[in-house]
């Protein structure tokens, strides 16, 4: 195995095993090969293999089956439903044990023409910009830049930082319900910021959504550009 | 510019110019740089640049503006709407001058467990498999493998070959209307077949949809896996 500098060896091994699981290499048995076989395959010792498997168990991808080896418990991607009511927490919901939204930064900006258009703001109005990532079972599953009309959503950055949830942060700003108006989906190669925040390798694919949420009266309240690692997330649209 | 073997030079140049247009490099002027500037930039002669620009004009991306150079007429991707009524021809509709569905091959297969499940067929039932591509203004915009229950849709391969439209082919089989039930969206790197049929370069990104259509009574009539070049197509979901 070609080793990367600056990345712990156990992590490189766990990345390789995870990729093999996602590629379906172990589908026939539903088990990861024995530790000794993995140690030989990757040219590392068994302690390193054990650390790698422990990390994958932590992620909920494998589970030690007493006396039988290591079972694959989740080889599928997270499935993110997109519909009239699109919610990150409900959407990923039962597929993960722990979900977390983390605020990276927030700032005030004058709305660009595109933002004014998306949020139906007058020219020159201010927007509050939040940059954040979301993790499911410790794995980064998305990275978002979100814009809200400043005046109506003063304090939403703090509310998101505290609750880790946009639904709860909107509720703290008096918006008890919201609806997805439009979602555009494209795919690009990972940018350096994706590599860093989404823990990807260069050349990886990122699914990008550009979405507008409105309040129940149809007034736009949020425009978000969200980037998902294509090897961890897929979208489902049910009509 | 690094040249590729086995790909005509003018095509390599047109790919580069198209990528620059899509990346917004010429957005400020809305014009492609002068032929002499492009010839110098890519280290080729003006004949090659002219052939590349002619190909892009053919695609509807640029237009020669008499005496003023080459205007960018379309820098956006095709926008493919996904909803309860998803239709290729209506969907790409006004964005292209010419749309064409081409049947590459058809065959009879015994349904795999996944297909039986998706199409609600009994174990061992036969399906008709169609492989085809779709072109918009001469550019490949998708490549599909579609499965239909054999008995109900006998002859749909010929109807698709003749009409170039699934909507019309279904109609020829007595299905006057159909609805999109579910669409899963993911993204992967291009496979060799994508490179060939979608005229992509290796490493390019392909958006993949896995979709079920039903008749108006809710009975599944088609399962399709469709691959779209991510640099030419994006999806829009309106709720």
């Amino acid at each position: 195995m070609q080793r990367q500098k600056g990345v712990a060896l156990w992590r490189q091994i766990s990345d390789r095993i995870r990729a093999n699981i996602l590629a379906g290499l172990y589908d026939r048995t539903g088990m990861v090969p024995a530790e000794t076989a993995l140690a030989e395959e990757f040219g590392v010792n068994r302690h390193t293999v054990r650390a790698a498997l422990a990390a994958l168990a932590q992620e909920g991808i494998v589970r030690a089956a007493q006396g039988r080896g290591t079972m694959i418990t989740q080889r599928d991607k997270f499935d993110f439903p997109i519909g009239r009511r699109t919610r990150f927490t409900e959407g990923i919901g039962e597929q993960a044990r722990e979900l977390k939204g983390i605020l990276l930064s927030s700032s005030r900006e004058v709305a660009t023409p595109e933002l004014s258009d998306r949020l139906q703001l007058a020219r020159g109005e201010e927007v509050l910009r939040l940059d954040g990532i979301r993790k499911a079972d410790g794995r980064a599953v998305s990275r978002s830049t979100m814009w809200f009309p400043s005046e109506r959503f003063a304090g939403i950055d703090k509310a998101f930082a505290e609750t880790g949830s946009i639904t709860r942060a909107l509720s703290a700003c008096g918006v008890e319900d919201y609806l997805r108006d439009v979602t555009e989906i494209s795919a690009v190669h990972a940018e350096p910021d994706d590599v860093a925040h989404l823990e990807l390798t260069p050349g990886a694919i990122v699914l990008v959504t550009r979405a507008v949420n409105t309040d129940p009266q149809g007034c736009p309240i949020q425009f978000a550009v969200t980037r998902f690692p294509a090897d961890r997330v897929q979208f489902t649209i049910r009509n």
Side-chain angles (χ1 to χ4, degrees), chain A:
Chain A
M1 194 184 82
Q2 209 186 336
R3 295 185 185 188
Q4 287 176 279
K5 278 184 193 166
V7 180
L9 193 54
W10 63 265
R11 167 160 280 184
Q12 296 181 44
I13 305 293
S14 75
D15 286 349
R16 289 287 298 267
I17 298 172
R18 188 191 305 108
N20 285 350
I21 291 172
L22 289 171
L25 250 68
Y26 311 136
D27 275 8
R28 209 181 48 79
T29 59
M31 305 285 288
V32 173
E35 286 175 15
T36 45
L38 291 170
E40 196 178 329
E41 178 182 349
F42 298 121
V44 299
N45 66 40
R46 287 184 59 174
H47 293 291
T48 306
V49 168
R50 261 179 227 150
L53 292 175
L56 294 174
Q58 190 72 31
E59 289 178 26
I61 293 177
V62 302
R63 196 175 62 203
Q66 209 58 47
R68 295 191 295 127
T70 307
M71 270 178 55
I72 296 163
T73 48
Q74 178 218 312
R75 64 163 180 274
D76 292 330
K77 300 173 187 179
F78 287 110
D79 183 40
F80 187 57
I82 296 179
R84 185 84 176 126
R85 289 179 58 84
T86 300
R87 303 285 185 273
F88 178 77
T89 308
E90 280 176 30
I92 301 286
E94 298 183 345
Q95 304 166 61
R97 285 161 305 157
E98 193 205 12
L99 292 171
K100 204 157 60 173
I102 299 156
L103 180 69
L104 298 178
S105 65
S106 69
S107 57
R108 280 166 185 279
E109 297 179 350
V110 172
T112 60
E114 185 187 5
L115 276 172
S116 305
D117 187 46
R118 298 275 198 173
L119 294 174
Q120 295 174 17
L121 298 175
R123 231 186 138 94
E125 260 189 86
E126 241 191 16
V127 284
L128 196 55
R129 170 185 168 149
L130 273 60
D131 282 279
I133 56 170
R134 291 192 176 94
K135 291 193 171 198
D137 294 338
R139 268 200 305 173
V141 288
S142 74
R143 165 167 112 79
S144 296
T145 303
M146 301 164 273
W147 291 269
F148 304 85
S150 279
E151 209 167 321
R152 182 166 179 189
F153 294 100
I156 197 167
D157 46 347
K158 283 188 198 94
F160 178 63
E162 279 162 21
T163 63
S165 154
I166 286 296
T167 302
R168 273 175 271 164
L170 285 169
S171 166
C173 294
V175 176
E176 294 298 342
D177 192 20
Y178 60 101
L179 300 167
R180 177 64 61 95
D181 181 38
V182 66
T183 310
E184 294 161 13
I185 299 175
S186 56
V188 296
H189 286 108
E191 294 174 354
D193 275 355
D194 297 321
V195 170
H197 291 298
L198 299 176
E199 299 148 37
L200 294 174
T201 44
I205 300 174
V206 172
L207 281 159
V208 184
T209 61
R210 302 168 67 81
V212 175
N213 284 323
T214 70
D215 64 19
Q217 286 73 46
C219 177
I221 56 171
Q222 180 191 16
F223 176 61
V225 179
T226 305
R227 306 170 70 90
F228 304 80
D231 65 344
R232 288 173 219 158
V233 179
Q234 71 165 24
F235 305 129
T236 299
I237 299 123
R238 287 190 183 77
N239 292 117

